[in-house]
Amino acid sequence: MANDQKMADEILKNIGGSGNVKNLTHCMTRLRFVLKDESKAKDENIKNIDGVMGLRKQGGQYQVIVGNNVSQTYTELMKLGVSGGAKSNEPVEKKKLTFKQVGINILDAIIGTMSPLIPAIIGGSMIKLLAMLLNMTGVLSVDSSTYNILNTIGDAPFFFLPMLVAVSAARKFNSNVFLALAIAGVMVHPVFMEIMEKAAEGKEATFAFVPVMSVKYTYTIIPAIVMTWLLKYIEDFADRITPIVMKNFLKPMLILLIAAPIAIIIVGPTGILIGTGLSEIVFFVHDKLGFLAVAIVGALWPLLVMTGMHRVFTPTIVQTIAETGEEAMVMPSEIGANLSLGGVSLAVALKTKNRELRQTSLAAASSAIIAGITEPALYGVAIRLKRPMIASVITGFVAGAVAGLAGLASHSMAAPGLFTSVQFIDQDNPMSILWVVVVMVLSVVLSFILTLVIGFEDIPESEDELLDLGTKDNITVASPIEGIIKPISSVQDDVFSREVIGKSIAIEPTGNTIYAPVTGTVTSVFPTNHAIGITGDSGIEVLIHVGIDTVKLNGEPFTTAVEQGDHVNVGDVVGTYDLAQIIEAGYDPTTIVVITNTEDYESITSFDRADVEAYTSILGAVKS
């Protein structure tokens, strides 16, 4: 608990404090912040907090990846005054509406709404699976009350899914939770469902002379999401037209009278058609490509998890299982994807000479193989070392193809792992048990062998020691930007290419942010903001020069976040630049990092790297 508390303290401090948090939720491995001002968050400091595995910014969320202990860290943050699911009354900056932005907003709505519901959906589906297994083994009969009650417990999250979605979506869109719940309740009310059943049999159903289409809303997602989003606007409209003295009773009555008919006449049927259409697309792809569809999704799955896009499949998986009792494309592909990350982590643990990396890899492997939780392996091993990711992608394709050929299908949507593999057992096909074992073993063994064959660039312990910025004689300089290291001799500037002013390194930038490469004091900020000098607390003097001849741009693409005399910590943002503007103006954006007091050091070496991220060590200096 002490570690969770320390992590929570560090995270909160580096995102700008509790006053900078509008909302906080969490999923299986990520803390999902909505911040008032993202510029206050110190990205690199957060990435380097002990226990933090990565950082993602997506759909307005500031996602801190902490792994399996996410709930404990969330609880500690709550104790520190951070409010989960809180509303914000601050005006939201409106973004220009484009097709791309509309797509981003739709995906963000689905992902943001569904992520908090995953535990309930997984829990319900696993209980239904337990009931099925107890029936298969003869422990319970389908006629027993125990079986039916157990099955009802598992079915409840699906049957009342529109109501669960309404609560989550209301928090997402800042709508009134209880009004959203009441409207979703209409959709699954026994009387309304009876009317829909009679309409399906041919008896006309109308509301105020307007026909109501026969639709079954249990197990559905999209109607509740869309209706809860619209509810916010209906609330605002009702608030404007109701007199102050009548608001307490007239306003909620008007909201229900307006929203409920819209839900059952327009939004509900349209949402069902959209959901059915998405499911049909998945069925079509699976029917046309067969096992190849499973293989392709298996190869892409780690990449989808990296971007958070894997949650987009949740509505389709839920609806497919609800309609057919099983899902045979996305879920089987996850077996190879998840367990392959466990296999590559085991291979790294075997081969690495770095004790800390070995411990990280073993923990990540157990998480992926046993529980199907892959973020520790994905961010702590595969992405960090790069080449193991190739082994995972190849294995995901091969294992997915085998799972597809075997016809495996899931009756649940729990992340595939050793303990959740029972979800692929088909009570009508005993061979499914053997195929599940084959795919799981193949995933671990193949990824393990491929990782050993492809290899990876190990992280020497000596470098880890050098990264300790408190060491008196050994000093490191971190990369101030994200990019690709290039030979200093290739720089089209004689002063830099010949290292006239000191030992230098050249980076072709891929980002737009400048970070402090050392902890120290800002000693110079050029008037055009294209160059910044920092003297480290250790005495090392570092110059960051963005672009060649960019002084001629008169500072237009550059902004600075510091002034001369400011003290900065390594990883702090000290400035930004518009990379596209520099290139469009015809200038070389290559950034030069120079140790200007090179003569004060016995030796200065550059670490053998290609791609670098901010805070990655690029130069090491040993004092004379």
Side-chain angles (χ1 to χ4, degrees):
M1 185 61 70
N3 289 337
D4 297 324
Q5 183 180 5
K6 182 180 179 182
M7 189 192 306
D9 287 336
E10 289 295 313
I11 291 173
L12 191 58
K13 180 177 70 176
N14 285 290
I15 62 171
S18 58
N20 194 34
V21 180
K22 288 199 290 186
N23 187 25
L24 171 63
T25 57
H26 73 86
C27 56
M28 298 295 283
T29 57
R30 306 181 188 198
L31 295 165
R32 296 172 178 267
F33 292 92
V34 178
L35 301 181
K36 295 178 182 178
D37 183 358
E38 275 198 11
S39 66
K40 292 182 179 179
K42 299 177 181 179
D43 297 357
E44 298 308 315
N45 288 5
I46 289 173
K47 289 179 184 177
N48 287 278
I49 293 172
D50 186 24
V52 171
M53 298 173 179
L55 175 66
R56 291 284 160 191
K57 300 177 186 178
Q58 183 180 26
Q61 289 187 342
Y62 193 88
Q63 302 175 7
V64 181
I65 303 159
V66 298
N68 296 338
N69 63 335
V70 64
S71 60
Q72 293 94 323
T73 310
Y74 176 85
T75 300
E76 293 300 326
L77 284 163
M78 292 296 101
K79 293 178 182 178
L80 294 172
V82 177
S83 181
K87 291 186 179 182
S88 172
N89 295 320
E90 296 187 6
V92 178
E93 181 183 352
K94 292 186 177 179
K95 297 180 180 179
K96 185 179 179 181
L97 201 61
T98 62
F99 284 114
K100 179 180 179 181
Q101 189 59 47
V102 169
I104 291 172
N105 290 344
I106 291 173
L107 293 178
D108 176 51
I110 294 173
I111 294 170
T113 299
M114 294 309 301
S115 292
L117 304 183
I118 298 301
I121 293 172
I122 291 176
S125 59
M126 292 304 294
I127 288 176
K128 285 173 68 71
L129 191 61
L130 174 62
M132 184 192 78
L133 291 174
L134 290 174
N135 173 247
M136 284 177 61
T137 55
V139 176
L140 294 175
S141 71
V142 292
D143 298 323
S144 70
S145 58
T146 301
Y147 172 86
N148 284 288
I149 292 174
L150 193 62
N151 203 48
T152 301
I153 294 170
D155 198 46
F158 296 92
F159 190 90
F160 294 104
L161 191 58
M163 300 179 74
L164 299 182
V165 170
V167 172
S168 183
R171 291 177 174 175
K172 172 69 179 174
F173 301 127
N174 284 337
S175 302
N176 184 291
V177 174
F178 299 103
L179 287 171
L181 196 57
I183 294 164
V186 173
M187 298 179 175
V188 294
H189 193 284
V191 174
F192 180 75
M193 291 178 64
E194 185 181 348
I195 294 172
M196 292 295 96
E197 288 174 5
K198 290 180 179 179
E201 295 170 357
K203 184 177 180 180
E204 185 181 18
T206 63
F207 179 81
F209 305 107
V210 179
V212 179
M213 183 184 297
S214 175
V215 176
K216 184 180 179 181
Y217 290 106
T218 53
Y219 301 87
T220 63
I221 291 170
I222 294 178
I225 292 179
V226 177
M227 196 60 235
T228 306
W229 170 66
L230 284 176
L231 181 62
K232 179 64 179 175
Y233 298 96
I234 295 172
E235 286 182 66
D236 292 341
F237 171 74
D239 186 63
R240 287 198 304 270
I241 66 172
T242 51
I244 293 177
V245 294
M246 303 172 70
K247 273 191 192 300
N248 64 336
F249 65 89
L250 184 59
K251 176 182 171 182
M253 184 184 79
L254 284 176
I255 291 171
L256 288 175
L257 275 178
I258 295 170
I262 291 175
I264 62 176
I265 294 171
I266 302 173
V267 173
T270 304
I272 293 295
L273 291 174
I274 293 172
T276 302
L278 292 173
S279 295
E280 290 297 330
I281 291 172
V282 172
F283 290 144
F284 176 80
V285 171
H286 192 207
D287 289 342
K288 292 297 180 183
L289 296 181
F291 73 92
L292 280 177
V294 186
I296 292 168
V297 177
L300 294 177
W301 195 255
L303 307 178
L304 294 172
V305 173
M306 285 169 55
T307 60
M309 290 290 290
H310 61 306
R311 292 300 183 207
V312 175
F313 287 100
T314 301
T316 303
I317 295 171
V318 171
Q319 187 157 339
T320 301
I321 293 176
E323 291 176 358
T324 66
E326 61 183 28
E327 199 282 324
M329 188 177 88
V330 180
M331 293 302 300
S333 73
E334 286 189 60
I335 304 174
N338 287 2
L339 272 72
S340 69
L341 287 166
V344 302
S345 297
L346 286 175
V348 169
L350 175 68
K351 195 173 181 180
T352 183
K353 294 181 173 60
N354 186 309
R355 287 168 292 180
E356 182 181 350
L357 179 58
R358 182 179 297 112
Q359 292 174 358
T360 299
S361 299
L362 287 172
S366 62
S367 175
I369 295 172
I370 296 173
I373 304 300
T374 59
E375 275 84 351
L378 183 62
Y379 294 104
V381 180
I383 295 175
R384 184 181 182 187
L385 301 177
K386 298 182 177 64
R387 290 185 208 166
M389 177 64 82
I390 299 172
S392 176
V393 169
I394 294 172
T395 303
F397 183 89
V398 175
V402 175
L405 286 169
L408 292 180
S410 177
H411 302 87
S412 170
M413 60 170 298
L418 184 61
F419 288 157
T420 56
S421 59
V422 291
Q423 66 189 304
F424 295 97
I425 297 174
D426 184 352
Q427 59 182 339
D428 297 324
N429 179 19
M431 283 296 294
S432 61
I433 300 174
L434 176 62
W435 279 114
V436 171
V437 174
V438 168
V439 175
M440 293 179 70
V441 172
L442 173 66
S443 302
V444 175
V445 173
L446 180 59
S447 58
F448 181 88
I449 294 172
L450 284 174
T451 303
L452 294 180
V453 171
I454 297 172
F456 58 90
E457 184 179 346
D458 201 5
I459 301 174
E461 287 195 332
S462 58
E463 181 181 321
D464 285 345
E465 292 167 4
L466 191 58
L467 282 171
D468 181 2
L469 300 179
T471 303
K472 182 178 179 181
D473 296 325
N474 297 334
I475 304 156
T476 58
V477 175
S479 177
I481 63 170
E482 297 175 348
I484 302 169
I485 291 181
K486 57 192 292 187
I488 190 67
S489 58
S490 67
V491 176
Q492 300 300 308
D493 183 293
D494 285 346
V495 174
F496 290 132
S497 63
R498 292 188 290 113
E499 299 181 297
V500 172
I501 57 177
K503 177 65 178 178
S504 307
I505 198 163
I507 305 171
E508 184 178 334
T510 56
N512 292 284
T513 305
I514 308 170
Y515 303 90
V518 293
T519 295
T521 303
V522 178
T523 50
S524 62
V525 178
F526 280 63
T528 53
N529 294 332
H530 75 289
I532 298 173
I534 300 174
T535 298
D537 291 344
S538 63
I540 196 166
E541 298 172 5
V542 183
L543 172 67
I544 310 162
H545 191 286
V546 181
I548 306 302
D549 290 332
T550 47
V551 64
K552 298 175 183 177
L553 292 172
N554 296 318
E556 289 185 8
F558 304 97
T559 60
T560 182
V562 293
E563 298 178 353
Q564 184 173 336
D566 287 351
H567 189 272
V568 294
N569 294 316
V570 62
D572 285 353
V573 175
V574 296
T576 61
Y577 55 94
D578 190 325
L579 179 59
Q581 187 177 347
I582 295 172
I583 296 172
E584 287 171 5
Y587 290 87
D588 182 354
T590 299
T591 297
I592 315 298
V593 183
V594 187
I595 298 178
T596 55
N597 61 336
T598 297
E599 67 280 358
D600 293 343
Y601 297 91
E602 181 179 329
S603 65
I604 298 177
T605 57
S606 58
F607 294 123
D608 184 17
R609 301 192 187 282
D611 300 339
V612 291
E613 297 179 357
Y615 201 80
T616 302
S617 55
I618 53 174
L619 291 168
V622 178
K623 275 194 172 183
S624 302

